[in-house]
Amino acid sequence: ALFARPNYAAIACPAIYPGQTIRARLSLVEGNDVTARLYLRYFGAGDQLVQVDGPPVLLKSAAQNVEWQVPPLPCGPIGEVGVELSSRHPASGQCVLHSFTWDGCPEVTFARPDIAQATSWKQAWVPGVDRPFFRETGASFLVLHSRGRGLLIQGQRQWTDYRAETVLTPHLSLAAGLAVRVQGMERYYAILFTADGNIQLVKCRHDQTILAEKNIGWQREQRDLVTLQVKGDHLLASVDGNEVFNLADPNGPLLGGGVGLVVEEGALTADYVQIGRVD
């Protein structure tokens, strides 16, 4: 119901993604043989929440750390995380939750899920474009923007060092490509295919700066594998497995942010968007 409301549907990026590590610090206050486990619930078939449990840990009176790396999920997004207690004795147990946090690089592929009636994966993308289409056949994404530059965004400011990958096709656009460390509509790095046949590595911090540019002879309607990796102030970009840019941005670098598909006055299609650890 949350995602089916036509006028007030939820559109928000999740806070936690597969590949990241959830950490809790717990101490037992009351009870015997009390076991704690971290759990999550993601939106699955029919946008119903499906629970996945972490490994059980026997609690002690002294505070202890419980950690769990979020496993790959067939759909998404993650809608709930928490701590679950259980005991073999009838009396309920009690514990103190001292802290609850998560960190690490996501390892996740965003694409059309092979699950019936799953629509919530679409609402996890924030549309800074005229029309984002989440397709049922062919490429997962069709993104259109008619005036200026638009972005379709997913992720969190806490993402720092990671590798983004997509297979995209620009269509009659002034520029189209893949963005990383996206902090908003005017703060990001991007690798862009431009209408004059060039490829650019740009930094947008309210104003755009072209960090590097070259001509690799690409053409419109050409489908390419694109990767953009960020680590510290260093950026590494490749097209179809061939390195095209390898440089540092020491002048006020953007150090964290999500991922995005970028299009300027035109359209692009993308098969998927994948986030992973830096090689």
Side-chain angles (χ1 to χ4, degrees):
L2 176 65
F3 295 101
R5 297 173 184 172
N7 297 320
Y8 298 99
I11 299 175
C13 298
I16 302 176
Y17 292 82
Q20 294 186 299
T21 300
I22 303 174
R23 307 176 193 276
R25 187 166 178 81
L26 303 165
S27 60
L28 183 65
V29 175
E30 179 182 313
N32 295 314
D33 295 323
V34 177
T35 298
R37 71 170 78 229
L38 300 172
Y39 76 91
L40 64 84
R41 291 175 181 162
Y42 69 90
F43 289 95
D47 292 327
Q48 298 300 307
L49 287 171
V50 179
Q51 183 160 325
V52 178
D53 295 325
V57 175
L58 184 65
L59 289 181
K60 304 174 183 177
S61 57
Q64 61 194 105
N65 297 320
V66 180
E67 298 182 0
W68 180 38
Q69 186 177 43
V70 179
L73 301 174
C75 191
I78 295 172
E80 178 182 320
V81 295
V83 180
E84 186 175 79
L85 301 181
S86 61
S87 175
R88 292 181 296 177
H89 299 284
S92 61
Q94 295 182 14
C95 75
V96 173
L97 177 62
H98 300 274
S99 62
F100 191 97
T101 186
W102 55 91
D103 55 40
C105 176
E107 293 186 271
V108 59
T109 298
F110 303 112
R112 179 183 59 255
D114 187 20
I115 294 179
Q117 299 178 336
T119 63
S120 58
W121 69 281
K122 306 174 185 180
Q123 275 73 24
W125 289 88
V126 176
V129 293
D130 290 341
R131 294 292 298 272
F133 290 93
F134 303 92
R135 308 177 79 185
E136 300 303 322
T137 59
S140 295
F141 306 94
L142 169 59
V143 186
L144 296 91
H145 198 66
S146 60
R147 182 177 298 178
R149 184 172 293 177
L151 287 86
L152 183 64
I153 304 168
Q154 171 122 212
Q156 295 292 329
R157 187 72 170 263
Q158 290 73 25
W159 295 7
T160 53
D161 298 340
Y162 61 90
R163 179 179 182 271
E165 174 185 302
T166 187
V167 174
L168 63 81
T169 307
H171 305 285
L172 296 174
S173 56
L174 295 183
L178 175 67
V180 296
R181 289 185 176 167
V182 180
Q183 300 177 1
M185 295 296 293
E186 296 184 346
R187 293 173 65 88
Y188 56 85
Y189 292 110
I191 180 171
L192 297 176
F193 296 88
T194 63
D196 56 8
N198 287 348
I199 185 169
Q200 298 176 341
L201 183 63
V202 304
K203 173 186 179 181
C204 188
R205 196 163 188 167
H206 306 298
D207 296 319
Q208 177 176 290
T209 301
I210 299 175
L211 301 176
E213 183 174 17
K214 64 176 60 175
N215 191 304
I216 61 171
W218 80 275
Q219 299 178 352
R220 283 197 180 101
E221 308 302 321
Q222 180 174 312
R223 184 169 173 266
D224 292 292
L225 171 65
V226 181
T227 64
L228 184 53
Q229 177 175 292
V230 280
K231 183 177 182 180
D233 66 357
H234 190 262
L235 298 98
L236 176 64
S238 67
V239 176
D240 295 326
N242 300 311
E243 182 181 301
V244 288
F245 302 118
N246 189 339
L247 55 84
D249 174 31
N251 185 22
L254 301 169
L255 297 178
V259 67
L261 294 170
V262 188
V263 63
E264 181 176 350
E265 298 187 15
L268 70 79
T269 53
D271 294 7
Y272 61 87
V273 177
Q274 185 180 77
I275 303 296
R277 300 182 189 279
V278 173
D279 294 338

